[in-house]
């Protein structure tokens, strides 16, 4: 890097303010251009034929009748997507998931696709494709899949992470372990031990916008892809490899994004659209239907988790242990590993052990969902922590404060923490007026903590200064939560100009160097780092130009509040030169002025949150109503506080839906029973209270402004905060998510039976 | 010489060891020595390994120095949402 990335406390002029969000008007008026809004002349409609079976050998696919249908321009199968992955198992999984090769591995797995002149013709063509299946036994439950008697899903998978290399394939693709100390010794010291098991069902990110793209492959081997995505450079890399294109010949343009949350970090339809376009010789538009999004994009893992925690009477936790089983769909994943890493990350523990098992099931390939894997692990841990606190007789908040991780604590996943926010969020919760609000009959209050890593990564920005002094900022991280506004604030801050003079855009893949995916809450952290770097490069040039204009040494010129200032007594007669004045003369002093940055943004700071939830339970129906909800989270530095609050509220809203309503329901036939929003119930406004937020700012020492990612952490606490609230409301501990009315009624009934004996 | 702690699934690649002593001055040399001494590491390095140096996690920075006495952890590379 060309600058010191370490935090330096400073007073901000632009950063930390709340300008009106620039994307708001376009979005609420319908002018924003999403993936499905792009059209090309002569484009065809793409449609995918999907397996109705959860597990089946594809013996034969006969596409001849479909190809003869008038209006059909291309039909493809796996034969049209030859294996160019060169032994890369992860890329092969992507290829096989986009178009099944030998086996359909889940209900909804793509087996063929067509491109036709209109949707009706395309649908007709799909019906004419004849697939000869040999149906195999399937398994969709994570615990069932681990049994020796379970049907084997992938005979190329041998369990990784075992001391002895296995000789037989297994549905358990990986075992992973974290921890330190001696848990046996720790439990021996405990006065009280809680041991509990928990389950969470599979959920979808619930983005409003389905996956959509327009692909256009030209005879000369160049191609264009317009797509909604969280990472268009990664999409280019993956699609180019799968299609055998040179990456530079495939230009990918990201659209506005109608939600992603990790679900748009994988290619699903795009390689298929490109293959269809190549075969047809015309552009192809492929938009997944809503049921396809549910059946064939990437939901979360379903999980089964055992937690054991021991503590002394004084409230000190002496040992903590968790075994976590996560489903990953039919391909290898790393979700259990992340769960094992995050489970106890909030705590300062001498003895801790977590073991994760990644388990294959006949369900769609799991994808990330905001702080992937952490919410389920936190649900189990925070539920047990709450119960343990009550057994000991300590207030749950005080219990957590006593055991909270702090600077210098060895995290349960290994590294030692620097300055972190878990303690401050707990203190803020303890002092929050929400904690003192009165509760009524059948109402309960719960709280819980959450953790997420946050990422950095490869990032590029271009900052260009126009002749009129306006600033264009081109970034390569897709804006999923206000990063254009935030990065404009950063550029304005660095240059010392008004925010209104900065315009940020997300550049396509041919206009900027490679950028990593916008995931892991890295968008603002990384691109702000790159923007600071680019702005400082531009300032160096601005100083040089000012020196030319004054005919003095550049060493005598400093940049202050948007102006070049000549320092030293010998230049006392020189006034200041504004950026605008320098820009106006740029043609005479060396040409256009720009600052570029290409870097790896390291040092993303971890983020912690603590939430409070008040809930009312109707004991007759089992229905619940969240009556109050408060989020406290560490943002490091809130560049644009309104967007930060929006991220806190969004994470909480999704967590509430996950806790109370949402689940994939599979029939015994292995087919998804609820692939639509009518039957997969996500919360709407009437289901949610106003969600209060409190932004804490514990600076990240590895960023000049102290910025941490904020977009994911606040989905982690809700599952447990709500379970704890329900427990306090009606006295039953819910161990299975979602806590839907039937489950709550069953728990209440079981409790009544227990008392009546 | 730096002491490297392997966590998660990485320990299996080193025959079940969780701590290794490696002579390396930066991340690149560390990876090279690792794959020389433990060939099972090579595909894992290709897949992506994060290196925590005194608590700060680096993903792609080969040139990052490994200060003497620093606490070095190797972690699997993660996916976010």
């Amino acid at each position: 890097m060309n600058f010191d990335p370490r935090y330096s406390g400073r007073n901000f002029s632009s950063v930390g303010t709340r300008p009106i969000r620039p994307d708001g008007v376009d979005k609420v008026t319908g002018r924003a251009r999403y993936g499905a809004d792009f059209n090309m002349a002569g484009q065809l409609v793409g449609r995918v034929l999907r397996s109705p079976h959860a597990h089946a050998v594809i013996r034969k696919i006969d596409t001849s009748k479909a190809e003869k249908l008038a209006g059909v321009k291309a039909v493809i199968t796996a034969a049209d997507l030859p294996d160019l992955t060169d032994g890369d198992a992860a890329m092969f999984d992507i290829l096989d998931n986009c178009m099944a090769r030998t086996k359909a591995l889940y209900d909804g797995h793509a087996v063929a696709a067509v491109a036709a002149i209109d949707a009706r013709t395309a649908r007709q063509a799909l019906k004419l494709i004849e697939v000869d299946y040999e149906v195999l036994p399937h398994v969709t439950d994570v615990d069932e899949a681990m049994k020796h008697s379970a049907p084997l899903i992938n005979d190329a998978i041998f369990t990784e992470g075992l001391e002895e290399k296995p000789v037989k394939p297994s549905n358990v693709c990986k075992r992973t372990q974290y921890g330190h100390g001696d848990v046996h010794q720790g439990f021996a010291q405990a006065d009280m031990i809680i041991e509990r098991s928990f389950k969470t069902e599979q959920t979808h990110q619930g983005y409003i916008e389905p996956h959509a793209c327009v692909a256009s492959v030209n005879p000369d081997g160049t191609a264009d892809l317009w797509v909604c995505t969280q990472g268009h450079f990664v999409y280019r890399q993956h699609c180019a490899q799968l299609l055998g294109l040179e990456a530079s010949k495939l230009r990918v343009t990201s659209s506005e994004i109608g939600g992603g949350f990790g679900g748009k970090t994988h290619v699903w339809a795009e390689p298929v659209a490109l293959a269809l376009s190549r075969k047809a010789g015309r552009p192809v538009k492929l938009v997944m239907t809503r049921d396809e999004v549910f059946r064939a994009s990437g939901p979360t893992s379903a999980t089964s988790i055992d937690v054991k925690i021991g503590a002394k009477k004084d409230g000190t936790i002496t040992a903590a242990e968790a075994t976590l089983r996560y489903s990953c769909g039919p391909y290898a994943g790393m979700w259990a590993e992340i769960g094992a890493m995050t489970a106890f990350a909030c705590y300062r523990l001498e003895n801790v052990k977590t073991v994760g098992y990644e388990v294959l099931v006949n369900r769609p390939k799991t994808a990330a969902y905001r702080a992937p894997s952490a919410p389920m692990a936190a649900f189990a841990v925070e539920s047990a922590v709450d119960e343990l606190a009550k057994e000991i007789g300590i207030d749950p908040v005080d219990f957590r404060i006593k055991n909270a991780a702090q600077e210098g604590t060895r995290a349960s996943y290994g590294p030692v923490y620097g300055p972190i926010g878990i303690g401050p969020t707990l203190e803020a919760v303890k002092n929050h007026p929400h904690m003192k609000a009165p509760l009524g009959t059948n109402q309960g209050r719960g709280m819980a903590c959450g953790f997420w890593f946050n990422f950095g990564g490869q990032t590029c920005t271009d900052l260009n200064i126009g002749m009129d002094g306006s600033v264009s900022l081109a970034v390569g991280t897709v804006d999923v939560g206000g990063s254009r506004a935030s990065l404009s604030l950063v550029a304005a801050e660095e240059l010392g100009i008004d925010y209104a003079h900065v315009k940020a855009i997300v550049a396509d893949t041919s206009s900027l160097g490679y950028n990593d995916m916008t995931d892991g809450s890295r968008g603002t952290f990384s691109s702000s780092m790159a923007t600071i770097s680019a702005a400082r490069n531009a300032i160096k040039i601005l100083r040089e130009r000012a020196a030319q204009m004054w005919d003095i040494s550049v060493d005598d010129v400093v940049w202050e509040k948007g102006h070049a200032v000549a320092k030293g007594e010998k230049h006392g007669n020189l006034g200041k030169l504004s950026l605008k004045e320098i820009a106006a003369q740029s043609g005479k002093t060396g040409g256009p002025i720009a600052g570029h940055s290409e870097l790896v943004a390291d040092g993303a700071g971890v983020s912690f949150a603590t939430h409070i939830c008040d809930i009312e339970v109707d004991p007759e129906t089992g229905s619940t109503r969240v009556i109050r909800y408060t989020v406290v989270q560490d943002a490091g530095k809130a560049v644009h506080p309104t967007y930060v609050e929006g991220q806190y509220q969004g994470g909480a809203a999704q967590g509430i839906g996950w806790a109370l309503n949402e689940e994939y329901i599979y029939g015994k036939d292995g087919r998804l029973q609820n692939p639509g929003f009518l039957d997969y119930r996500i919360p709407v406004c009437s289901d949610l209270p106003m969600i209060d937020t409190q932004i804490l700012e514990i600076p990240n020492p590895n960023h000049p402004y102290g910025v941490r990612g904020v977009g994911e952490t606040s989905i982690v606490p809700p599952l447990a905060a709500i379970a704890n609230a329900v427990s306090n409301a009606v006295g039953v501990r819910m161990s299975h998510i979602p806590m839907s009315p039937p489950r709550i009624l069953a728990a209440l009934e079981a409790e009544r039976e227990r008392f009546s004996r | 010489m730096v002491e490297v702690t392997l966590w998660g699934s990485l320990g299996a690649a080193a025959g079940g060891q969780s701590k290794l002593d490696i002579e390396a001055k930066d991340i690149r040399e560390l990876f090279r020595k690792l794959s020389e001494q433990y060939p099972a590491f090579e595909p894992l390095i290709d897949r992506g390994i994060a290196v925590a140096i005194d608590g700060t996690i680096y993903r792609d920075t080969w040139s990052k120095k490994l200060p003497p006495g620093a606490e070095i952890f190797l972690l699997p590379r993660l996916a976010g949402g």
Side-chain angles (χ1 to χ4, degrees):
Chain A
M1 287 190 191
N2 67 331
F3 70 104
D4 187 346
R6 289 174 297 179
Y7 174 68
S8 56
R10 64 190 269 179
N11 295 317
F12 295 102
S13 301
S14 298
V15 164
T17 62
R18 299 171 180 263
I20 293 175
R21 51 190 297 163
D23 55 330
V25 172
D26 283 351
K27 285 180 174 173
V28 300
T29 58
R31 279 207 305 268
R33 302 182 71 204
Y34 294 94
D37 292 323
F38 186 78
N39 292 292
M40 293 181 74
Q43 78 186 12
L44 302 169
V45 175
R47 283 282 189 273
V48 176
L49 180 69
R50 299 186 180 278
S51 167
H53 305 295
H55 195 198
V57 173
I58 301 168
R59 284 197 282 237
K60 186 183 178 184
I61 303 180
D62 184 347
T63 60
S64 56
K65 291 178 182 175
E67 283 163 331
K68 288 171 185 170
L69 182 65
V72 172
K73 303 300 180 184
V75 181
I76 66 163
T77 63
D80 298 280
L81 280 162
D83 182 1
L84 305 173
T85 61
D86 196 27
D88 184 332
M91 285 300 298
F92 181 82
D93 287 348
I94 293 172
L95 173 69
D96 192 75
N97 191 47
C98 288
M99 190 64 64
R101 308 187 79 75
T102 57
K103 285 208 295 185
L105 294 166
Y106 56 92
D107 167 35
H109 199 169
V111 297
V114 304
I117 55 175
D118 55 37
R120 183 169 169 273
T121 304
R123 283 194 297 269
Q124 282 183 316
L126 291 183
K127 291 176 182 174
L128 295 174
I129 297 174
E130 296 172 348
V131 186
D132 182 10
Y133 291 105
E134 177 197 341
V135 181
L136 301 172
H138 63 270
V139 58
T140 57
D141 179 77
V142 60
D143 287 326
E144 291 293 318
M146 291 185 77
K147 293 180 177 177
H148 290 296
S149 56
L152 186 69
I153 292 169
N154 186 338
D155 55 18
I157 296 277
F158 291 77
T159 307
E160 189 180 322
L162 300 180
E163 287 186 11
E164 289 184 14
K165 190 165 185 178
V167 295
K168 289 167 61 179
S170 168
N171 287 339
V172 181
C173 72
K174 184 190 276 191
R175 177 191 185 276
T176 188
Q177 182 173 323
Y178 288 84
H180 53 255
D182 183 335
V183 289
H184 296 294
Q185 185 175 315
F187 282 120
Q189 297 165 8
D191 295 318
M192 190 81 63
I193 295 176
I194 288 283
E195 197 162 1
R196 296 285 183 266
S197 294
F198 300 86
K199 290 198 78 157
T200 71
E201 296 300 330
Q202 189 168 51
T203 55
H204 196 274
Q205 302 85 347
Y207 34 88
I208 301 302
E209 177 196 33
H211 298 269
C213 66
V214 179
S216 177
V217 180
N218 305 307
D220 64 357
T222 60
D224 281 279
L225 180 68
W226 171 279
V227 61
C228 59
T229 174
Q230 287 180 235
H232 46 312
F233 289 86
V234 174
Y235 274 41
R236 177 180 73 166
Q237 192 171 313
H238 288 181
C239 289
Q241 181 174 356
L242 295 179
L243 274 291
L245 302 171
E246 271 185 29
S248 66
K249 291 188 175 179
L250 171 57
R251 179 176 65 172
V252 183
T253 306
S254 61
S255 70
E256 199 67 75
I257 186 168
F261 316 111
K264 291 175 180 169
T265 58
H266 302 255
V267 293
W268 311 106
E270 298 74 22
V272 173
L274 286 161
L276 285 168
S277 174
R278 178 164 64 181
K279 194 166 188 182
R282 285 167 63 170
V284 172
K285 184 173 191 176
L286 185 50
V287 181
M288 291 177 86
T289 59
R290 180 60 61 188
D291 71 287
E292 283 181 305
V293 172
F294 277 103
R295 291 167 71 211
S297 67
T300 62
S301 302
T303 72
S304 172
I305 301 170
D306 306 323
V307 172
K308 182 180 178 184
I309 309 178
K312 293 177 178 174
K313 288 175 191 170
D314 69 357
T316 305
I317 296 177
T318 60
E321 186 173 17
T323 303
L324 309 96
R325 298 167 289 274
Y326 280 55
S327 67
C328 56
Y331 304 103
M334 63 177 311
W335 312 110
E337 181 141 37
I338 305 178
M341 296 173 81
T342 58
F344 295 109
C346 294
Y347 295 98
R348 186 177 70 255
L349 302 169
E350 284 190 15
N351 306 293
V352 56
K353 177 183 176 183
T354 58
V355 176
Y357 294 96
E358 198 79 25
V359 185
L360 270 61
V361 291
N362 291 114
R363 293 193 186 206
K365 183 176 195 277
T366 296
Y369 180 10
R370 257 179 149 143
S373 304
M376 308 85 132
F379 164 59
V381 168
E382 293 292 305
S383 294
V385 165
D386 229 57
E387 195 173 348
L388 185 55
K390 284 173 193 163
E391 287 287 326
I392 290 171
I394 296 181
D395 175 80
V397 180
D398 288 329
F399 185 55
R400 288 173 170 85
I401 290 174
K402 187 179 183 68
N403 293 284
Q406 56 202 23
E407 185 170 5
T409 294
R410 177 175 304 289
S412 56
Y413 64 97
V416 169
Y417 287 127
I420 55 174
I422 181 61
T425 62
L426 282 163
E427 294 289 347
V429 159
K430 186 181 173 71
N431 297 320
H432 200 285
H434 183 164
M435 293 296 281
K436 303 176 183 68
L439 291 165
T441 305
N442 295 321
Q443 294 181 354
R445 173 167 303 140
M447 49 79 61
C449 299
F451 157 88
W452 184 246
F453 304 96
N454 296 326
F455 297 165
Q458 299 179 85
T459 312
C460 306
T461 59
D462 282 356
L463 186 149
N464 292 282
I465 299 175
M467 294 281 286
D468 62 351
S470 61
V471 173
S472 295
L473 183 66
V475 303
T477 45
V478 173
D479 185 342
V480 300
S483 62
R484 281 166 291 183
S486 299
L487 298 173
S488 297
L489 286 169
V490 169
E493 184 74 46
E494 285 293 317
L495 294 171
I497 62 176
D498 196 291
Y499 161 83
H501 298 310
V502 183
K503 172 73 173 179
I505 64 159
V506 181
D508 65 49
T509 59
S510 63
S511 306
L512 208 58
Y514 178 86
N515 279 260
D516 276 327
M517 186 82 66
T518 298
D519 70 352
S521 297
R522 77 169 214 99
T524 298
F525 168 79
S526 301
S527 284
S528 66
M529 189 89 80
T531 297
I532 290 167
S533 170
R536 292 181 185 184
N537 284 332
I539 286 169
K540 182 172 176 291
I541 296 171
L542 288 162
R543 289 173 54 230
E544 290 168 1
R545 302 302 178 89
Q548 272 197 66
M549 292 168 73
W550 282 323
D551 196 19
I552 66 176
S553 167
V554 66
D555 295 331
D556 293 334
V557 182
V558 296
W559 192 261
E560 291 174 358
K561 296 178 180 176
H563 291 80
V565 178
K567 64 179 185 180
E569 289 181 6
K570 59 182 176 177
H571 305 308
N573 63 324
L574 295 175
K576 297 186 289 187
L577 278 171
S578 69
L579 183 146
K580 186 170 182 175
E581 290 167 321
I582 298 169
Q585 301 299 326
S586 58
K588 302 181 178 66
T589 57
I593 300 173
H596 303 286
S597 177
E598 295 81 31
L599 51 72
V600 178
D602 282 318
V606 296
S607 178
F608 292 88
T610 303
H611 291 194
I612 314 167
C613 172
D614 291 355
I615 202 162
E616 180 174 292
V617 181
D618 183 336
E620 292 192 1
T621 63
S623 70
T624 56
R625 184 167 64 93
V626 178
I627 54 184
R628 185 168 178 178
Y629 203 96
T630 301
V631 174
V632 183
Q633 185 181 320
D634 170 23
K637 176 63 192 176
V639 176
H640 191 310
T642 304
Y643 280 102
V644 172
E645 290 162 353
Q647 292 296 309
Y648 289 6
Q649 291 163 332
Q654 287 177 310
I656 290 169
W658 195 338
L660 295 176
N661 295 100
E662 301 179 37
E663 70 181 292
Y664 269 44
I665 301 173
Y666 275 83
K668 290 180 180 176
D669 58 1
R671 301 198 66 182
L672 182 59
Q673 300 296 302
N674 58 336
F677 281 130
L678 184 60
D679 301 305
Y680 179 95
R681 180 77 158 80
I682 67 172
V684 295
C685 291
S686 55
D687 298 308
L688 299 169
M690 298 298 286
I691 296 171
D692 291 322
T693 63
Q694 185 175 344
I695 300 173
L696 301 189
E697 293 186 325
I698 289 83
N700 171 11
N702 296 304
H703 187 286
Y705 298 176
V707 169
R708 300 180 192 265
V710 301
E712 295 178 88
T713 309
S714 273
I715 197 170
V716 181
L719 277 59
I722 294 170
N724 292 337
V726 168
S727 176
N728 291 328
V730 290
V732 295
R733 169 57 59 184
M734 299 300 294
S735 59
H736 197 157
I737 292 279
M739 294 170 278
S740 54
R743 287 207 175 94
I744 288 186
L745 271 187
L748 287 171
E749 197 168 304
E751 187 75 358
R752 277 194 288 265
E753 284 183 4
R754 195 169 69 88
F755 270 110
S756 69
R757 288 196 198 104
Chain B
M1 187 76 65
V2 293
E3 184 183 67
V4 179
T5 305
L6 311 173
W7 272 37
S9 51
L10 300 178
Q17 298 179 77
S18 63
K19 287 185 188 293
L20 305 172
D21 290 318
I22 304 281
E23 185 79 52
K25 62 184 184 300
D26 56 31
I27 288 177
R28 182 178 191 177
E29 188 174 5
L30 173 64
F31 284 171
R32 180 164 56 78
K33 295 278 180 67
L34 267 177
S35 56
E36 282 171 4
Q37 296 177 36
Y38 304 95
F41 257 98
E42 192 163 348
L44 299 178
I45 292 170
D46 289 342
R47 197 186 302 174
I49 290 179
V51 181
I53 303 173
D54 287 333
T56 300
I57 295 180
Y58 299 87
R59 285 173 108 194
D60 295 306
T61 317
W62 280 357
S63 60
K64 185 63 190 176
K65 303 295 184 190
L66 308 176
E71 181 177 78
I72 313 291
F73 279 85
L74 300 191
L75 301 160
R77 185 149 167 178
L78 306 177

